[in-house]
Amino acid sequence: MCVGTCTRILGPCLLILGFLSITANILLLFPNWEWCYLSLGQISKRAMLMPGVWGGGLLVFPAAIQITGIGWRWKYFSSSGTCCKMFLSILLSGLALLGSATCFILSGSGLTEGPLCLYNSTLNHNKVQQWGYPFLEMDYPVFNHGVQNYLYDPSLWNSVCIKPQNIVGWNVYFFSSLLVVSMVEMVLAALQIINGCFGCVCGLCEQKK
């Protein structure tokens, strides 16, 4: 595929993925469409780090905009110096790769540890409701039945956490979305690094009409 054609595809794709990443992370801050938990600080720490906003979004946008501008010959990207522009796209794509990789790691960590929620904790053989991460506590009663990972047993999703409502499913869906989006961003950023290297050597390799 021609370098210029590849650039026109990769740029807009990264833009769309960046917006999807930001949207998914913002939704993690409002479980079940409720605002009160954010104001009370009762949101998962991985969601509060907002890796989808800065990692999968803001760090990806510079590369996405620059690549799209080169591919579609926007006014401020249509000047001469193709090698310099493609070299800049390599650097920005490296930044996007770093951001999306960080988002991937933090989202995976958030998915593994489970949500912050109100649950019934056993303290001195008494049941006490408290806020925490019940799926990190392997001595929690539900794990006595041989279940070692809540992701493999959706029946636990609505039986362990009391508040916020449906928080387990909410976290799973949106952290999984961030994982998929950031993984695709990593692939596209890596492709653009390779594409940029060819662009420095061969130019955009488009026939002039």
Side-chain angles (χ1 to χ4, degrees), residues 156-209:
L156 298 176
W157 294 7
N158 294 322
S159 61
V160 175
C161 289
I162 302 171
K163 291 182 179 180
Q165 187 178 8
N166 301 320
I167 182 58
V168 182
W170 191 273
N171 263 37
V172 169
Y173 297 144
F174 289 112
F175 269 128
S176 296
S177 298
L178 283 177
L179 276 175
V180 173
V181 168
S182 59
M183 182 172 59
V184 177
E185 285 177 337
M186 285 190 291
V187 172
L188 295 184
L191 286 175
Q192 178 54 32
I193 291 174
I194 298 172
N195 189 54
C197 292
F198 281 108
C200 286
V201 177
C202 307
L204 296 180
C205 69
E206 294 179 322
Q207 293 182 351
K208 295 183 178 180
K209 296 182 180 180

Side-chain angles (χ1 to χ4, degrees), residues 97-137:
L97 180 60
L98 177 62
S100 56
T102 304
C103 179
F104 182 85
I105 293 171
L106 292 178
S107 298
S109 177
L111 187 63
T112 301
E113 71 183 10
L116 173 68
C117 67
L118 180 68
Y119 69 103
N120 290 315
S121 176
T122 303
L123 183 62
N124 296 326
H125 304 288
N126 295 319
K127 285 189 176 182
V128 179
Q129 289 188 352
Q130 68 176 28
W131 286 88
Y133 297 86
F135 299 110
L136 285 180
E137 300 181 9

Side-chain angles (χ1 to χ4, degrees), residues 24-41:
N25 202 145
I26 290 176
L27 289 174
L28 278 170
L29 303 179
F30 305 101
N32 206 38
W33 307 106
E34 297 183 55
W35 298 69
C36 60
Y37 299 107
L38 178 61
S39 62
L40 294 173

